[in-house]
Amino acid sequence: MTKRRSISRRLMRGLTIVGAVGTILLFAAVVFFYHFSITDFRVSADHPRAFRETLEHVVLPVAILMGPVAFVVTRVIGQAFLPLEAAARKIAAARGHERGFRIDTSELPAEALPFTDAVNDLLERLDEAAVRQEAFAADVAHELRTPLALLALELDQFDDVDAARLKEDVMAMRRLIEQLMLLAQIDAFDAAQIALEQVPLVAVARDVVSSIAPAVITAGRTIDLKIDDEGAAVRGRREAIAAALRNLVENAVRATPVGGAIHVRVGPGLIVSVADDGPGLTPDRLRELARRHCRADHASNDGAGLGLAIVKRIMAAHGGQLETHPEKSEISLNFSR
């Protein structure tokens, strides 16, 4: 492993070298000005005087001076690096809100400006690339919605099995496009730093459960809602939180066998949980499925493959976390993290 270089150690090493060179030069000056020579030192009576003169005028002043100088230099070096440490803390605190972040250079020393300016320029170019990618995804998703809707209407005119299967595929594609648009909207909201609203979690849960209940019942499952905290509310975007909860419920429906039940619970605290009669997900499995383009083995053919990735992104945008409790076959949206 390569040993990292320390500016402080290099400065202290340089100071030591300067002190040593200064001591030698000072000793040479004493020798010159007092006309000491090798022949003078041959007289034994002059040896104590020469030693005393050297000690009093060279060694002792340098020793007395080097202590305060070392202390002051150490303090100055530490003070010089304080703005860099403060900038590092601000960068670390921006985790999850990297979009639009720039390093504040107003308090940084002039020597650090070339590096921080280069980093800020890189961050700006990364933001621009992300905006272009998001705009492209949103444009493609928007343009695809209309022909898919027309195709679904055309398939409604046919009653055979193949038409029904094709219509299911079209609806799966439409859900995928809607999820892509939701991701683009979340990223765009973060970039624009639009003000958040107070979102009551109970109202969101009621809306989602009531809207999805007919489809759940049609699929041969049941769904219920339990409220442990009536006043639970978070600052965020209601549409995004509702989409996250809907995705969890849809995953729970796919994981639950026919005749099973899905349980949605709000609370205690800023937590919304979805439990089912499926096998549950381990933390490692959840991390794997939360990556884009992955889905559970039990997912049906209409799964879009982006559900948990979208939920994870929504929770990150709200400062929360997606958690799993396999012993209860439960996944939760934890906004208190």
Side-chain angles (χ1 to χ4, degrees), residues 119-254:
V119 172
N120 282 338
D121 181 64
L122 174 62
L123 292 174
E124 183 176 357
R125 284 185 276 124
L126 289 175
D127 282 350
E128 291 174 354
V131 169
R132 288 194 298 269
Q133 181 181 5
E134 292 156 9
F136 174 76
D139 291 341
V140 171
H142 181 73
E143 293 297 328
L144 286 175
R145 291 181 69 182
T146 300
L148 286 177
L150 295 176
L151 181 58
L153 291 176
E154 291 290 336
L155 291 174
D156 284 338
Q157 300 178 10
F158 301 94
D159 297 330
D160 56 15
V161 177
D162 291 336
R165 179 179 55 80
L166 289 174
K167 186 175 181 180
E168 290 179 357
D169 293 338
V170 170
M171 296 306 296
M173 292 178 63
R174 186 170 183 176
R175 280 191 291 271
L176 173 60
I177 290 171
E178 290 174 351
Q179 291 178 348
L180 287 172
M181 290 190 66
L182 179 60
L183 278 178
Q185 289 172 0
I186 293 171
D187 292 334
F189 285 151
D190 283 346
Q193 297 183 350
I194 298 175
L196 304 177
E197 60 177 328
Q198 195 75 5
V199 180
L201 296 180
V202 173
V204 171
R206 284 174 175 158
D207 290 344
V208 171
V209 171
S210 61
S211 64
I212 204 172
V216 173
I217 296 173
T218 302
R221 285 84 167 171
T222 62
I223 185 170
D224 59 73
L225 173 63
K226 180 180 180 181
I227 299 173
D228 292 336
D229 192 339
E230 189 72 39
V234 297
R235 292 194 63 80
R237 301 180 183 92
R238 180 164 182 156
E239 180 184 357
I241 296 174
L245 180 57
R246 175 179 285 274
N247 268 311
L248 292 189
V249 173
E250 290 176 349
N251 285 344
V253 172
R254 288 193 289 268

Side-chain angles (χ1 to χ4, degrees), residues 13 42 54 59 64 79 83 95 107 109 112 117 138 148 156 165 191 195 199 204 209 221 234 281 286 295-296 301 304:
R13 186 162 54 248
R42 289 176 181 173
T54 303
V59 179
I64 295 175
Q79 292 292 328
R95 184 179 298 274
E107 300 295 332
D117 289 343
L148 286 177
D156 284 338
R165 179 179 55 80
V199 180
V204 171
V209 171
R221 285 84 167 171
V234 297
L281 292 176
L286 177 62
R295 69 181 182 187
N301 292 331

Side-chain angles (χ1 to χ4, degrees), residues 46-58:
D46 291 338
H47 289 175
R49 180 170 63 86
F51 178 77
R52 186 171 59 254
E53 291 287 344
T54 303
L55 181 65
E56 292 178 355
H57 295 87
V58 179

Side-chain angles (χ1 to χ4, degrees), residues 219-221 256-260:
R221 285 84 167 171
T256 301
V258 176

